[in-house]
Amino acid sequence: MRENWYTDKKQKKTKDVSDMERKKILLVEDEVKLARFVELELKYEGYDVTVCHDGREGMQQITDGKYDMLLLDLMLPGLTGIEICRRVRKFSQIPIIILTAKDEVMDKVAGLDSGADDYMTKPFAIEELLARMRVAFKHSAGTAVKKSVLQVQDLEIDLEKRMVTVGGKLVDLTKKEYELLTYLVQNKNIVLTREQILNEVWGYSYIGETNVVDVYIRYLRAKIDEAFGKKYILTIRGVGYYVKEEE
Ligand code: CA
């Protein structure tokens, strides 16, 4: 990785945000200079930022403190970002964005599969991180207010409990699998392109990486179609996917 792709902007003044609105961010990043840079930029934007340089210490902070969002590096001493993500998801739906030098699709899948909301590959522009943070906040606010049950034949999604059942049997889905299935079912009988799915479920466009969608469609089919001998998720070759409601 290139060194010092970020610049030091110590002189900036913090934007005027009241303490009531000030969102609490925990940044777990072992590159001290980068952590300091991100901390200063976020503080300038009006966020209340706490920094940890060690995975274990970060996990301790999460269980002790009250945060509105986590920014996690992947390769950390003590505990990896993915492991922190998995542990946090057992008790919290707090928005999580992973910051990492790794840029392989499978690493992204592992990160998102462990429950992260989004993924930033270093080097990144601070403006892009800020934009994705806003998207992640919007998403988490949106999922908190929905209350109802979606249904396609004997597949049911309880949006309040975030629970999926087929014929009354509970299906264990990861966060992204659940969000993908919900999006498909909310738009049943409409063919959705990979780009549309990426935009909606992952929150922005991954240029040239729409195969993440195919990977997740395979996971869903294994857990729902194959496990129950059904065919809910259909493919339109060269176009995308949809969930079909039978007449
Ligand atoms: Ca690191």
Side-chain angles (χ1 to χ4, degrees):
M1 201 193 87
R2 272 188 290 140
E3 291 285 318
N4 299 324
W5 48 270
Y6 41 85
T7 52
D8 207 349
K9 294 178 184 167
K10 284 197 180 78
Q11 302 309 315
K12 271 190 180 178
K13 247 184 75 204
T14 302
K15 279 186 185 170
D16 199 21
V17 177
S18 80
D19 283 348
M20 285 285 287
E21 300 163 10
R22 205 176 286 276
K23 287 200 160 61
K24 292 188 74 180
I25 313 289
L26 179 67
L27 169 64
V28 191
E29 166 63 73
D30 63 330
E31 283 174 61
V32 176
K33 277 187 182 168
L34 171 59
R36 181 73 181 140
F37 164 70
V38 174
E39 179 190 6
L40 289 170
E41 289 289 334
L42 295 185
K43 281 186 171 164
Y44 171 70
E45 288 299 318
Y47 292 111
D48 179 341
V49 188
T50 303
V51 180
C52 287
H53 303 299
D54 173 275
R56 245 168 240 292
E57 191 192 310
M59 194 63 224
Q60 195 59 49
Q61 275 293 330
I62 297 161
T63 35
D64 291 350
K66 201 168 161 31
Y67 293 96
D68 298 303
M69 179 176 285
L70 306 179
L71 303 178
L72 299 177
D73 180 24
L74 210 56
M75 304 304 286
L76 287 164
L79 210 55
T80 68
I82 287 186
E83 191 49 39
I84 293 175
C85 234
R86 286 206 183 101
R87 294 188 187 186
V88 169
R89 279 292 172 257
K90 288 185 178 151
F91 62 89
S92 167
Q93 288 302 312
I94 182 175
I96 300 176
I97 297 178
I98 284 181
L99 312 175
T100 183
K102 288 191 170 188
D103 58 359
E104 300 289 327
V105 170
M106 284 322 289
D107 291 324
K108 287 191 184 186
V109 170
L112 295 169
D113 211 33
S114 66
D117 295 86
D118 207 346
Y119 207 105
M120 292 287 300
T121 302
K122 299 173 199 169
F124 55 80
I126 196 75
E127 290 74 19
E128 194 183 352
L129 173 63
L130 292 167
R132 291 196 195 183
M133 286 171 68
R134 286 192 292 271
V135 169
F137 275 130
K138 224 177 86 193
H139 260 237
S140 68
T143 50
V145 294
K146 282 180 204 157
K147 279 181 190 175
S148 61
V149 174
L150 300 175
Q151 196 168 12
V152 179
Q153 279 98 251
D154 52 0
L155 167 71
E156 271 190 16
I157 305 176
D158 185 324
L159 295 173
E160 202 183 355
K161 295 178 184 157
R162 293 179 74 87
M163 241 171 61
V164 175
T165 55
V166 175
K169 282 192 179 153
L170 195 64
V171 184
D172 187 21
L173 297 180
T174 64
K175 186 167 183 276
K176 279 294 156 196
E177 288 165 358
Y178 170 84
E179 287 172 1
L180 172 58
L181 181 67
T182 302
Y183 180 54
L184 290 170
V185 172
Q186 276 168 336
N187 295 282
K188 63 188 174 189
N189 299 326
I190 299 169
V191 179
L192 302 165
T193 65
R194 290 174 178 80
E195 289 75 19
Q196 280 177 308
I197 294 170
L198 270 179
N199 262 313
E200 183 59 31
V201 178
W202 278 265
Y204 62 93
S205 298
Y206 279 92
I207 295 161
E209 290 170 19
T210 54
N211 54 344
V212 171
V213 174
D214 302 321
V215 170
Y216 274 82
I217 290 281
R218 279 205 296 279
Y219 292 162
L220 274 183
R221 279 188 169 141
K223 289 183 176 180
I224 292 175
D225 292 19
E226 287 157 31
F228 293 92
K230 311 269 182 178
K231 206 161 171 52
Y232 291 112
I233 304 163
L234 304 179
T235 307
I236 301 291
R237 275 188 93 102
V239 184
Y241 300 101
Y242 73 109
V243 162
K244 194 179 173 195
E245 170 91 285
E246 277 163 11
E247 297 303 317

PDB file of all heavy atoms in Angstrom, residues 65-76:
ATOM      1  N   GLY A  65     -19.188   1.068  25.879  1.00  0.00           N
ATOM      2  CA  GLY A  65     -19.708   2.373  25.476  1.00  0.00           C
ATOM      3  C   GLY A  65     -20.963   2.298  24.642  1.00  0.00           C
ATOM      4  O   GLY A  65     -21.473   1.227  24.351  1.00  0.00           O
ATOM      5  N   LYS A  66     -21.459   3.479  24.291  1.00  0.00           N
ATOM      6  CA  LYS A  66     -22.653   3.548  23.460  1.00  0.00           C
ATOM      7  C   LYS A  66     -22.283   4.286  22.182  1.00  0.00           C
ATOM      8  O   LYS A  66     -21.992   5.472  22.208  1.00  0.00           O
ATOM      9  CB  LYS A  66     -23.746   4.303  24.220  1.00  0.00           C
ATOM     10  CG  LYS A  66     -25.126   4.013  23.696  1.00  0.00           C
ATOM     11  CD  LYS A  66     -26.179   4.528  24.649  1.00  0.00           C
ATOM     12  CE  LYS A  66     -27.543   4.691  24.008  1.00  0.00           C
ATOM     13  NZ  LYS A  66     -27.890   3.776  22.942  1.00  0.00           N
ATOM     14  N   TYR A  67     -22.248   3.543  21.074  1.00  0.00           N
ATOM     15  CA  TYR A  67     -21.839   4.143  19.799  1.00  0.00           C
ATOM     16  C   TYR A  67     -22.956   4.081  18.773  1.00  0.00           C
ATOM     17  O   TYR A  67     -23.845   3.229  18.865  1.00  0.00           O
ATOM     18  CB  TYR A  67     -20.587   3.437  19.268  1.00  0.00           C
ATOM     19  CG  TYR A  67     -19.389   3.688  20.147  1.00  0.00           C
ATOM     20  CD1 TYR A  67     -19.012   2.783  21.130  1.00  0.00           C
ATOM     21  CD2 TYR A  67     -18.675   4.867  20.022  1.00  0.00           C
ATOM     22  CE1 TYR A  67     -17.938   3.040  21.973  1.00  0.00           C
ATOM     23  CE2 TYR A  67     -17.599   5.138  20.859  1.00  0.00           C
ATOM     24  CZ  TYR A  67     -17.241   4.220  21.824  1.00  0.00           C
ATOM     25  OH  TYR A  67     -16.189   4.482  22.655  1.00  0.00           O
ATOM     26  N   ASP A  68     -22.878   4.985  17.782  1.00  0.00           N
ATOM     27  CA  ASP A  68     -23.865   5.025  16.703  1.00  0.00           C
ATOM     28  C   ASP A  68     -23.344   4.353  15.445  1.00  0.00           C
ATOM     29  O   ASP A  68     -24.114   4.017  14.548  1.00  0.00           O
ATOM     30  CB  ASP A  68     -24.230   6.480  16.378  1.00  0.00           C
ATOM     31  CG  ASP A  68     -24.860   7.169  17.574  1.00  0.00           C
ATOM     32  OD1 ASP A  68     -25.874   6.658  18.076  1.00  0.00           O
ATOM     33  OD2 ASP A  68     -24.319   8.196  18.034  1.00  0.00           O
ATOM     34  N   MET A  69     -22.021   4.182  15.368  1.00  0.00           N
ATOM     35  CA  MET A  69     -21.435   3.543  14.187  1.00  0.00           C
ATOM     36  C   MET A  69     -20.029   3.043  14.495  1.00  0.00           C
ATOM     37  O   MET A  69     -19.319   3.665  15.289  1.00  0.00           O
ATOM     38  CB  MET A  69     -21.365   4.530  13.012  1.00  0.00           C
ATOM     39  CG  MET A  69     -20.746   3.935  11.760  1.00  0.00           C
ATOM     40  SD  MET A  69     -20.757   5.042  10.340  1.00  0.00           S
ATOM     41  CE  MET A  69     -22.461   4.985   9.848  1.00  0.00           C
ATOM     42  N   LEU A  70     -19.651   1.915  13.848  1.00  0.00           N
ATOM     43  CA  LEU A  70     -18.296   1.391  13.989  1.00  0.00           C
ATOM     44  C   LEU A  70     -17.571   1.468  12.657  1.00  0.00           C
ATOM     45  O   LEU A  70     -18.139   1.096  11.624  1.00  0.00           O
ATOM     46  CB  LEU A  70     -18.319  -0.083  14.424  1.00  0.00           C
ATOM     47  CG  LEU A  70     -19.097  -0.449  15.672  1.00  0.00           C
ATOM     48  CD1 LEU A  70     -18.999  -1.957  15.905  1.00  0.00           C
ATOM     49  CD2 LEU A  70     -18.549   0.309  16.881  1.00  0.00           C
ATOM     50  N   LEU A  71     -16.329   1.937  12.697  1.00  0.00           N
ATOM     51  CA  LEU A  71     -15.452   1.896  11.528  1.00  0.00           C
ATOM     52  C   LEU A  71     -14.320   0.955  11.899  1.00  0.00           C
ATOM     53  O   LEU A  71     -13.566   1.222  12.832  1.00  0.00           O
ATOM     54  CB  LEU A  71     -14.897   3.293  11.214  1.00  0.00           C
ATOM     55  CG  LEU A  71     -15.920   4.401  10.959  1.00  0.00           C
ATOM     56  CD1 LEU A  71     -15.214   5.729  10.705  1.00  0.00           C
ATOM     57  CD2 LEU A  71     -16.823   4.053   9.784  1.00  0.00           C
ATOM     58  N   LEU A  72     -14.234  -0.170  11.206  1.00  0.00           N
ATOM     59  CA  LEU A  72     -13.287  -1.211  11.594  1.00  0.00           C
ATOM     60  C   LEU A  72     -12.262  -1.495  10.515  1.00  0.00           C
ATOM     61  O   LEU A  72     -12.635  -1.785   9.373  1.00  0.00           O
ATOM     62  CB  LEU A  72     -14.029  -2.529  11.861  1.00  0.00           C
ATOM     63  CG  LEU A  72     -15.079  -2.596  12.957  1.00  0.00           C
ATOM     64  CD1 LEU A  72     -15.713  -3.985  12.951  1.00  0.00           C
ATOM     65  CD2 LEU A  72     -14.439  -2.316  14.311  1.00  0.00           C
ATOM     66  N   ASP A  73     -11.005  -1.459  10.895  1.00  0.00           N
ATOM     67  CA  ASP A  73      -9.949  -1.964  10.027  1.00  0.00           C
ATOM     68  C   ASP A  73     -10.078  -3.491  10.061  1.00  0.00           C
ATOM     69  O   ASP A  73     -10.629  -4.056  11.012  1.00  0.00           O
ATOM     70  CB  ASP A  73      -8.594  -1.512  10.589  1.00  0.00           C
ATOM     71  CG  ASP A  73      -7.428  -1.986   9.750  1.00  0.00           C
ATOM     72  OD1 ASP A  73      -7.612  -2.256   8.549  1.00  0.00           O
ATOM     73  OD2 ASP A  73      -6.320  -2.081  10.308  1.00  0.00           O
ATOM     74  N   LEU A  74      -9.591  -4.181   9.013  1.00  0.00           N
ATOM     75  CA  LEU A  74      -9.743  -5.639   8.976  1.00  0.00           C
ATOM     76  C   LEU A  74      -8.571  -6.331   9.681  1.00  0.00           C
ATOM     77  O   LEU A  74      -8.755  -7.189  10.532  1.00  0.00           O
ATOM     78  CB  LEU A  74      -9.826  -6.090   7.518  1.00  0.00           C
ATOM     79  CG  LEU A  74     -10.626  -7.334   7.203  1.00  0.00           C
ATOM     80  CD1 LEU A  74     -12.047  -7.250   7.700  1.00  0.00           C
ATOM     81  CD2 LEU A  74     -10.606  -7.605   5.718  1.00  0.00           C
ATOM     82  N   MET A  75      -7.347  -5.934   9.315  1.00  0.00           N
ATOM     83  CA  MET A  75      -6.166  -6.545   9.919  1.00  0.00           C
ATOM     84  C   MET A  75      -5.770  -5.734  11.144  1.00  0.00           C
ATOM     85  O   MET A  75      -5.232  -4.642  11.024  1.00  0.00           O
ATOM     86  CB  MET A  75      -5.004  -6.564   8.916  1.00  0.00           C
ATOM     87  CG  MET A  75      -5.330  -7.270   7.599  1.00  0.00           C
ATOM     88  SD  MET A  75      -5.911  -8.962   7.831  1.00  0.00           S
ATOM     89  CE  MET A  75      -4.364  -9.759   8.243  1.00  0.00           C
ATOM     90  N   LEU A  76      -6.061  -6.312  12.316  1.00  0.00           N
ATOM     91  CA  LEU A  76      -5.808  -5.609  13.575  1.00  0.00           C
ATOM     92  C   LEU A  76      -5.089  -6.522  14.546  1.00  0.00           C
ATOM     93  O   LEU A  76      -5.310  -7.727  14.532  1.00  0.00           O
ATOM     94  CB  LEU A  76      -7.146  -5.228  14.222  1.00  0.00           C
ATOM     95  CG  LEU A  76      -7.965  -4.102  13.620  1.00  0.00           C
ATOM     96  CD1 LEU A  76      -9.383  -4.160  14.157  1.00  0.00           C
ATOM     97  CD2 LEU A  76      -7.330  -2.753  13.922  1.00  0.00           C
TER      98      LEU A  76
END
